[in-house]
Amino acid sequence: FLIALKHLHSKVKCTKEKPILLFMDNHISHMGYSICVLAKENGVILQTLPPHTSHASQPLDRTIYGPFKCHLAESHANWMREHPGQRVSIYDVPLLSKPAILRAFTETNIKKGFQATVIFPLD
């Protein structure tokens, strides 16, 4: 997670004067002294969401992953109808996943997730 946090900081360019708020779960891999120091020194405010409440408190669980699973299942079902008797291979997964991702991971759905969990994006 420390590597991911460094990558996030390199892309977002936040500072102590212009901080960002990062929501995350309480997984043990996301906690540690070096992570907290890096976040504090670079303007990343860490906010954890309560455990075992993802159905209610995590924005992506509320409005992204459900639709994604439905669209992916639809994509797989269409493929199976077009290729009877064949198995989906690892090489088919990106082609089947892309339409589902494009339909589920929209700006509107993401914003609705924050509204549904009462975490309103400021920018």
Side-chain angles (χ1 to χ4, degrees), residues 5-101:
L5 188 59
K6 287 178 182 178
H7 176 74
L8 172 76
H9 178 259
S10 74
K11 298 298 179 187
V12 176
K13 309 279 191 234
C14 50
T15 63
K16 285 184 179 181
E17 294 75 30
K18 191 176 177 188
I20 63 164
L21 179 61
L22 177 63
F23 289 97
M24 56 190 201
D25 62 18
N26 282 319
H27 194 272
I28 190 70
S29 67
H30 300 156
M31 300 295 138
Y33 181 74
S34 58
I35 291 167
C36 292
V37 169
L38 178 72
K40 187 173 183 175
E41 289 176 351
N42 293 289
V44 179
I45 301 167
L46 301 175
Q47 175 65 53
T48 60
L49 297 169
H52 309 294
T53 61
S54 65
H55 64 285
S57 67
Q58 294 187 17
L60 294 180
D61 285 351
R62 294 291 301 267
T63 60
I64 300 294
Y65 294 133
F68 171 69
K69 289 177 187 177
C70 289
H71 297 314
L72 187 60
E74 182 182 317
S75 217
H76 278 250
N78 290 339
W79 189 93
M80 297 295 272
R81 275 193 294 278
E82 294 170 9
H83 303 87
Q86 295 181 16
R87 292 184 178 179
V88 174
S89 77
I90 192 167
Y91 303 105
D92 299 315
V93 172
L95 296 173
L96 295 174
S97 301
K98 183 179 178 178
I101 290 169

